[in-house]
Coordinates of all heavy atoms in Angstrom, one line a residue:
L7 N -24.2 -0.1 -17.4 CA -22.8 -0.7 -17.5 C -23.0 -2.2 -17.5 O -23.8 -2.8 -16.9 CB -22.0 -0.3 -16.3 CG -21.6 1.2 -16.2 CD1 -20.9 1.5 -14.9 CD2 -20.8 1.6 -17.4
P8 N -22.1 -2.9 -18.3 CA -22.1 -4.3 -18.2 C -21.7 -4.8 -16.9 O -20.9 -4.2 -16.2 CB -21.1 -4.8 -19.3 CG -20.3 -3.6 -19.5 CD -21.1 -2.4 -19.2
S9 N -22.3 -5.8 -16.4 CA -21.9 -6.3 -15.1 C -20.6 -7.0 -15.2 O -20.2 -7.5 -16.2 CB -23.0 -7.3 -14.6 OG -23.0 -8.5 -15.4
S10 N -19.9 -6.9 -14.1 CA -18.5 -7.6 -14.0 C -18.6 -8.6 -12.9 O -19.5 -8.7 -12.1 CB -17.4 -6.6 -13.8 OG -17.5 -6.0 -12.6
A11 N -17.5 -9.4 -12.8 CA -17.5 -10.5 -11.8 C -17.5 -9.9 -10.4 O -17.9 -10.6 -9.5 CB -16.2 -11.4 -12.0
T12 N -17.0 -8.7 -10.2 CA -16.9 -8.2 -8.8 C -18.1 -7.4 -8.4 O -18.2 -7.0 -7.3 CB -15.7 -7.3 -8.7 OG1 -15.8 -6.2 -9.6 CG2 -14.4 -8.1 -8.9
T13 N -19.1 -7.1 -9.3 CA -20.3 -6.4 -8.9 C -21.4 -7.3 -8.7 O -21.5 -8.4 -9.2 CB -20.7 -5.3 -10.0 OG1 -20.9 -6.0 -11.3 CG2 -19.6 -4.3 -10.2
G14 N -22.4 -6.9 -7.9 CA -23.6 -7.6 -7.6 C -23.4 -8.7 -6.5 O -24.4 -9.3 -6.1
G15 N -22.2 -8.9 -6.1 CA -21.9 -9.9 -5.0 C -20.8 -9.4 -4.2 O -20.4 -8.3 -4.2
A16 N -20.3 -10.3 -3.4 CA -19.2 -9.9 -2.5 C -17.9 -9.8 -3.4 O -17.7 -10.6 -4.2 CB -19.0 -11.0 -1.5
A17 N -17.2 -8.8 -3.1 CA -16.0 -8.5 -3.9 C -14.9 -9.6 -3.4 O -14.9 -9.9 -2.3 CB -15.4 -7.1 -3.6
K18 N -14.1 -10.0 -4.4 CA -13.0 -11.0 -4.1 C -11.8 -10.3 -3.5 O -10.9 -11.0 -3.1 CB -12.7 -11.8 -5.3 CG -13.8 -12.7 -5.8 CD -13.3 -13.4 -7.0 CE -14.4 -14.3 -7.6 NZ -13.9 -15.1 -8.7
G19 N -11.7 -9.0 -3.6 CA -10.5 -8.3 -3.2 C -9.4 -8.4 -4.3 O -9.8 -8.8 -5.5
R20 N -8.2 -8.0 -4.0 CA -7.2 -8.1 -5.0 C -6.8 -9.5 -5.4 O -6.7 -10.3 -4.5 CB -5.9 -7.3 -4.5 CG -6.2 -5.8 -4.3 CD -4.9 -5.1 -4.0 NE -5.2 -3.7 -3.9 CZ -4.2 -2.8 -3.7 NH1 -3.0 -3.2 -3.6 NH2 -4.5 -1.6 -3.7
Q21 N -6.6 -9.7 -6.6 CA -6.3 -11.0 -7.1 C -4.9 -11.0 -7.7 O -4.4 -10.0 -8.3 CB -7.3 -11.5 -8.2 CG -8.7 -11.6 -7.8 CD -8.9 -12.6 -6.7 OE1 -8.5 -13.7 -6.9 NE2 -9.6 -12.3 -5.7
A22 N -4.1 -12.1 -7.5 CA -2.8 -12.2 -8.0 C -2.9 -12.3 -9.5 O -3.7 -12.9 -10.1 CB -2.1 -13.5 -7.5
E23 N -2.0 -11.4 -10.2 CA -2.0 -11.3 -11.6 C -1.0 -12.1 -12.3 O -1.0 -12.2 -13.6 CB -1.8 -9.8 -12.0 CG -2.9 -8.9 -11.6 CD -2.7 -7.5 -12.1 OE1 -2.2 -7.3 -13.2 OE2 -3.0 -6.6 -11.3
F24 N 0.0 -12.7 -11.7 CA 1.1 -13.4 -12.2 C 1.9 -12.5 -13.2 O 2.3 -12.9 -14.3 CB 0.6 -14.7 -13.0 CG 0.1 -15.7 -12.0 CD1 -1.3 -15.8 -11.8 CD2 1.0 -16.5 -11.3 CE1 -1.7 -16.8 -10.8 CE2 0.5 -17.5 -10.4 CZ -0.9 -17.6 -10.2
R25 N 2.1 -11.3 -12.8 CA 2.9 -10.4 -13.6 C 3.5 -9.3 -12.6 O 2.9 -9.1 -11.6 CB 2.2 -9.7 -14.7 CG 1.0 -8.9 -14.3 CD 0.1 -8.4 -15.4 NE 0.7 -7.0 -15.8 CZ 0.2 -6.3 -16.8 NH1 -0.8 -6.8 -17.5 NH2 0.7 -5.1 -17.0
T26 N 4.6 -8.8 -13.0 CA 5.2 -7.7 -12.2 C 5.9 -6.8 -13.1 O 5.9 -6.9 -14.3 CB 6.2 -8.4 -11.1 OG1 6.6 -7.4 -10.2 CG2 7.4 -9.0 -11.8
R27 N 6.6 -5.8 -12.5 CA 7.3 -4.8 -13.3 C 8.5 -4.4 -12.5 O 8.6 -4.5 -11.3 CB 6.5 -3.6 -13.7 CG 6.1 -2.8 -12.5 CD 5.4 -1.4 -12.9 NE 5.4 -0.6 -11.7 CZ 4.3 -0.1 -11.2 NH1 3.2 -0.3 -11.9 NH2 4.3 0.6 -10.1
V28 N 9.5 -3.8 -13.2 CA 10.7 -3.3 -12.6 C 10.3 -1.9 -12.0 O 9.8 -1.0 -12.8 CB 11.9 -3.2 -13.6 CG1 13.1 -2.6 -12.9 CG2 12.2 -4.6 -14.1
H29 N 10.6 -1.7 -10.8 CA 10.3 -0.4 -10.1 C 11.4 0.6 -10.5 O 12.4 0.3 -11.0 CB 10.2 -0.6 -8.6 CG 9.0 -1.4 -8.2 ND1 7.9 -0.9 -7.7 CD2 8.8 -2.7 -8.3 CE1 7.0 -1.8 -7.4 NE2 7.6 -3.0 -7.8
G30 N 11.1 1.9 -10.2 CA 12.0 3.0 -10.6 C 13.4 2.8 -9.9 O 14.4 3.3 -10.5
N31 N 13.5 2.1 -8.8 CA 14.8 1.9 -8.2 C 15.5 0.7 -8.7 O 16.5 0.3 -8.2 CB 14.6 1.9 -6.7 CG 13.8 0.7 -6.2 OD1 13.3 -0.1 -7.0 ND2 13.5 0.6 -4.9
G32 N 14.9 0.0 -9.7 CA 15.5 -1.2 -10.3 C 15.1 -2.5 -9.6 O 15.5 -3.5 -10.1
N33 N 14.3 -2.4 -8.6 CA 13.9 -3.6 -7.9 C 12.8 -4.4 -8.6 O 12.0 -3.7 -9.3 CB 13.5 -3.4 -6.5 CG 14.6 -3.0 -5.6 OD1 15.7 -3.2 -5.9 ND2 14.3 -2.4 -4.4
L34 N 12.8 -5.7 -8.5 CA 11.7 -6.4 -9.1 C 11.0 -7.2 -7.9 O 11.6 -8.0 -7.3 CB 12.3 -7.5 -10.1 CG 11.4 -8.4 -10.8 CD1 10.5 -7.5 -11.8 CD2 12.2 -9.5 -11.6
L35 N 9.8 -6.9 -7.7 CA 9.0 -7.4 -6.5 C 8.2 -8.6 -7.0 O 7.4 -8.5 -8.0 CB 8.2 -6.3 -5.9 CG 7.3 -6.7 -4.7 CD1 8.2 -7.0 -3.5 CD2 6.4 -5.5 -4.4
I36 N 8.3 -9.7 -6.2 CA 7.4 -10.9 -6.5 C 6.1 -10.8 -5.7 O 5.1 -11.0 -6.3 CB 8.2 -12.2 -6.1 CG1 9.4 -12.4 -7.0 CG2 7.2 -13.4 -6.2 CD1 10.3 -13.5 -6.6
G37 N 6.2 -10.5 -4.5 CA 4.9 -10.3 -3.7 C 4.5 -11.5 -2.9 O 4.9 -12.6 -3.1
H38 N 3.7 -11.1 -1.8 CA 3.3 -12.1 -0.8 C 2.5 -13.3 -1.4 O 2.6 -14.4 -0.9 CB 2.5 -11.3 0.3 CG 2.1 -12.2 1.4 ND1 0.8 -12.7 1.5 CD2 2.8 -12.7 2.4 CE1 0.8 -13.5 2.6 NE2 1.9 -13.5 3.1
A39 N 1.6 -13.0 -2.3 CA 0.7 -14.0 -2.8 C 1.6 -15.2 -3.4 O 1.3 -16.3 -3.3 CB -0.2 -13.5 -3.9
Y40 N 2.7 -14.8 -4.1 CA 3.5 -15.9 -4.7 C 4.5 -16.5 -3.7 O 4.6 -17.7 -3.8 CB 4.3 -15.2 -5.9 CG 3.3 -14.4 -6.8 CD1 3.3 -13.1 -6.8 CD2 2.4 -15.1 -7.5 CE1 2.4 -12.4 -7.5 CE2 1.5 -14.4 -8.3 CZ 1.5 -13.1 -8.3 OH 0.6 -12.4 -9.1
T41 N 5.0 -15.7 -2.8 CA 5.9 -16.4 -1.8 C 5.1 -17.3 -0.9 O 5.6 -18.4 -0.6 CB 6.7 -15.3 -1.0 OG1 5.8 -14.4 -0.4 CG2 7.7 -14.5 -1.8
R42 N 3.9 -16.9 -0.6 CA 3.1 -17.8 0.2 C 2.7 -19.1 -0.6 O 2.8 -20.2 0.0 CB 1.8 -17.1 0.7 CG 0.9 -18.0 1.5 CD -0.4 -17.3 2.0 NE -1.2 -17.0 0.8 CZ -1.7 -15.8 0.5 NH1 -1.5 -14.8 1.4 NH2 -2.4 -15.6 -0.6
R43 N 2.4 -18.9 -1.9 CA 2.0 -20.0 -2.7 C 3.2 -21.0 -2.9 O 3.0 -22.2 -2.9 CB 1.6 -19.5 -4.1 CG 1.0 -20.6 -5.0 CD 0.4 -20.0 -6.2 NE -0.1 -21.1 -7.1 CZ -0.8 -20.8 -8.2 NH1 -1.1 -19.6 -8.5 NH2 -1.2 -21.8 -8.9
L44 N 4.4 -20.5 -2.9 CA 5.6 -21.3 -3.0 C 6.1 -21.9 -1.6 O 7.0 -22.7 -1.6 CB 6.8 -20.5 -3.6 CG 6.6 -20.2 -5.1 CD1 7.6 -19.2 -5.6 CD2 6.6 -21.4 -6.0
G45 N 5.4 -21.5 -0.6 CA 5.8 -21.9 0.7 C 7.1 -21.3 1.3 O 7.8 -21.9 2.1
L46 N 7.5 -20.1 0.8 CA 8.7 -19.5 1.2 C 8.5 -18.8 2.5 O 7.4 -18.3 2.8 CB 9.2 -18.4 0.1 CG 9.4 -19.1 -1.3 CD1 9.8 -18.0 -2.2 CD2 10.3 -20.2 -1.3
E47 N 9.6 -18.7 3.3 CA 9.4 -18.0 4.6 C 10.4 -16.9 4.7 O 11.5 -16.9 4.0 CB 9.7 -19.1 5.7 CG 8.7 -20.2 5.7 CD 9.1 -21.2 6.8 OE1 10.0 -21.0 7.6 OE2 8.4 -22.3 6.8
P48 N 10.2 -15.9 5.5 CA 11.1 -14.8 5.7 C 12.5 -15.3 6.2 O 12.5 -16.2 7.0 CB 10.5 -13.9 6.8 CG 9.0 -14.3 6.7 CD 8.9 -15.7 6.3
G49 N 13.5 -14.8 5.6 CA 14.9 -15.2 6.0 C 15.5 -16.2 5.0 O 16.7 -16.4 5.0

């Protein structure tokens, strides 16, 4: 198999993709990675 960036070393974990989708209930989720990056706080 061709080597990829996550093999052969320590895995980076999940990376933010800068994309989202509308869920079945109609909600659009931004996610923690982006709210943290924007400095947003709960409430």
Side-chain angles (χ1 to χ4, degrees):
L7 294 175
S9 62
S10 66
T12 58
T13 59
K18 293 182 180 180
R20 292 185 176 187
Q21 299 295 311
E23 293 184 38
F24 293 98
R25 58 185 268 179
T26 189
R27 66 169 192 237
V28 177
H29 293 258
N31 61 4
N33 289 345
L34 183 66
L35 180 67
I36 295 174
H38 182 257
Y40 309 107
T41 56
R42 183 181 62 227
R43 187 172 179 173
L44 292 169
L46 305 179
E47 297 177 8

